Amino acid sequence: MANSVLTLEKINKVYGVDVPNQVLFDIDLSIEKGSFNAIIGQSGSGKSTLLNIMGILDKPTNGTVTINGIRTDQMKSDQMAQVRNRTLGFIFQFHYLLPEFTALENVLMPYWIRGEQVGQSEKQRAKDLLTRMGLEKVMNNLSTKMSGGQQQRTAIARALMNQPEIILADEPTGNLDSTNTESVYELLREINRDNGTTFILVTHDRRVAEMADRIVEIRDGRVFLDVDNVAQAVPSAT
Amino acid sequence: MALSLKIAWRFLSANKNQTLLIMLGIAVGVAVQVFIGLLIQGLQKNLVQTTVGNSAQVTVSSTREDRYILTPNDVIAQIEEDGELQGQLKVVSGVSDSPVFIKLEQRDVSGFLKGFDLERAAQIYRFEERLEGNMPLEPNQVIIGKVLAQENNLSIGDQLTLTVPTLVLFSRNVQVVGIFDLGVGGLNASWIVTNLPTAWDIIRRPNTMSSIEMQVNDVFSADVVATRVKQILGDGFKVSDWKTSNADLLTALSSQSVSSIMIQTFVIIAVALSIASVLIINVVQKSRQLGILKAMGIRDGQARMIFLNQGLLLGVGGTIIGLAMGIGLILMFTTFARTPEGSPVVPVFINYGFIALSSAIAIGSSLVAAIIPARRSAKLSPVEVIRNG
């Protein structure tokens, strides 16, 4: 695909050496720039592993991952770190904030890692992101002094801080109630529309999947279904 | 502030008790090191000072049969004007001496007459500080040792008759004008100190010297100075130095230094091991945070720096507390451990060079101790943390 930002070719993943356990089988996927994708599947189907491989957090046993035309297996570790910092944004199932830092500092962290001076405009952007998440009152709290929902929304703001091209989210609303879930998805969709950010979401939530442009179902480590923009065609996801 | 330093600081301050404990561990190590180091140095300096501080450290004598140096002024000039010895010599002083009999009313006692260039000799023996009475500046005046005075009931103002054994028919009356205490029993019991003209007159060897005595600026270079003096003077002279004649003392001092260094080394190793083990546990404790940071794109080098900075911060913090404790202990020791006369048992010299070196070693060891945890943190794969929640 000419317009793809992320391409997977023949991805296999085997865990264990003595007792090998193959989780992914020959996955081919190409993610279009600016698209909103949902990856669904039962637990243990390999969807989170797939997401980690896409985000170069994990290495495939064989097969290649290409991000913006560059093969990740040919990248050095610092180059991978740079791609994770600038091109990718992660939202994890368990919010994973740094407990030693405040909400605002957690959001600024990707920018600090980037190694550039944090000026007033960056600080303002971080504050705006937190305000958009409804966290203006707790932004100076240590992350341990916030509710689960607040932490999760902080993690989303953090993923957006460096304005990455691709956001990878693993059950980003797994710990949120339905009102919060809806507002978070509306926000993600809005960012997708306004900034052209590509989203890849792993989810159990059928309603979330229905909002996506494209739905990929993983079953037993293989692509079982790959459909475009057809909410009505979503098969029964658990 | 560099990001890795900022994160290191937060990691440490988030876990205050653990941080304080490990800093105290380093501090105790540094304190022990500084205390023992300064104490041993003080002891040694004191010992050397007592042994050779107030006596000749290098002595030149003649190899002539009658053992007299016939041209002492030339010899002194030769030594003082030598380029290589410039700045090394504190004082060069000639002495004319001889055994003498002291005729008392009931009996004769033997003594040792020492004729000094008093101005120069004062720099070696510090008579003024140890003298009751006056210096023997006039002809036929002498000062005698405390023990000699006590044993023979002599006091200031008494007249003595001195006779040189080889000149039994010739004797000279002198007056005691002072009684000194050099702190060494042998000298206090035998020395009779006078000016050069009086000594020459009694010994009947005008303008000669029996020996030339020197004090050097660095007492431990006395042997080097002695070698050079021997080189300048050539044959006909014998040069001795305190180090060669006090070999046993030097062996004792160096074994004391070795044992002090051993103690300090093991303390530092123990401190380094405890820092390393705490930081290794810290990597495990913070592996979740490291995983998140790596997912956000922190480089392996930056991750390493977090732990090196933690080592550095712990080292610097522990060293500052340790220096305060160590110097405090030393000051307490010198304040409270006192001799009956009220002077410190061991006068301690605060050696800034040694303190700086101890601090550098402690901070350096903290950094070295952080290397293993730092490497581990760099190797940590983010997915391990992400996958295992």
Side-chain angles (χ1 to χ4, degrees), chain B residues 78-97:
Chain B
Q78 251 183 306
I79 295 169
E80 282 185 330
E81 283 158 22
D82 182 63
E84 258 184 55
L85 292 175
Q86 287 305 310
Q88 298 205 53
L89 299 172
K90 207 189 269 175
V91 57
V92 184
S93 163
V95 46
S96 176
D97 58 26

Side-chain angles (χ1 to χ4, degrees), chain B residues 121-374:
Chain B
Q123 294 180 54
I124 300 180
Y125 298 99
R126 301 184 193 289
F127 291 115
E128 277 99 337
E129 297 166 20
R130 302 137 166 254
L131 181 70
E132 206 184 305
N134 298 310
M135 286 298 285
L137 301 174
E138 300 297 323
N140 298 326
Q141 287 187 337
V142 297
I143 53 175
I144 59 172
K146 189 172 127 189
V147 179
L148 186 66
Q150 278 169 355
E151 283 181 351
N152 302 296
N153 277 329
L154 297 170
S155 49
I156 296 172
D158 287 358
Q159 292 280 336
L160 303 178
T161 305
L162 302 181
T163 309
V164 176
T166 50
L167 303 164
V168 282
L169 297 175
F170 178 83
S171 59
R172 176 77 71 194
N173 287 333
V174 293
Q175 191 190 16
V176 178
V177 293
I179 294 168
F180 59 79
D181 176 7
L182 289 181
V184 180
L187 306 188
N188 284 346
S190 62
W191 275 22
I192 301 151
V193 173
T194 185
N195 51 59
L196 274 174
T198 304
W200 284 331
D201 183 33
I202 296 170
I203 301 166
R204 314 231 113 197
R205 282 283 186 170
N207 300 319
T208 64
M209 299 284 184
S210 334
S211 59
I212 290 163
E213 299 181 332
M214 278 165 260
Q215 273 208 341
V216 291
N217 285 324
D218 170 15
V219 288
F220 289 100
S221 70
D223 50 347
V224 183
V225 171
T227 311
R228 176 63 194 161
V229 170
K230 174 85 189 139
Q231 243 173 31
I232 304 168
L233 300 180
D235 289 341
F237 294 95
K238 203 177 89 189
V239 183
S240 61
D241 65 272
W242 77 271
K243 284 177 86 175
T244 318
S245 32
N246 288 279
D248 286 350
L249 173 72
L250 281 172
T251 312
L253 288 183
S254 66
S255 37
Q256 201 178 36
S257 295
V258 168
S259 54
S260 153
I261 288 169
M262 288 278 278
I263 294 172
Q264 293 175 39
T265 308
F266 283 112
V267 167
I268 276 294
I269 290 174
V271 166
L273 285 176
S274 65
I275 301 172
S277 55
V278 168
L279 285 181
I280 286 171
I281 295 167
N282 196 247
V283 173
V284 178
Q285 285 174 333
K286 303 292 181 190
S287 58
R288 186 180 158 104
Q289 282 89 324
L290 279 171
I292 304 165
L293 286 166
K294 287 199 172 181
M296 282 195 275
I298 205 164
R299 292 189 306 274
D300 290 349
Q302 286 174 297
R304 255 196 304 271
M305 281 309 289
I306 294 175
F307 286 87
L308 288 179
N309 276 319
Q310 286 200 64
L312 186 71
L313 288 170
L314 288 170
V316 169
T319 301
I320 291 172
I321 304 173
L323 286 183
M325 281 164 65
I327 294 172
L329 272 174
I330 274 285
L331 291 180
M332 266 168 64
F333 189 81
T334 48
T335 310
F336 297 115
R338 296 209 164 238
T339 57
E341 290 89 46
S343 59
V345 176
V346 180
V348 171
F349 306 86
I350 301 289
N351 179 346
Y352 294 102
F354 173 74
I355 292 175
L357 182 70
S358 299
S359 311
I361 289 174
I363 295 170
S365 323
S366 309
L367 270 179
V368 170
I371 288 176
I372 299 170

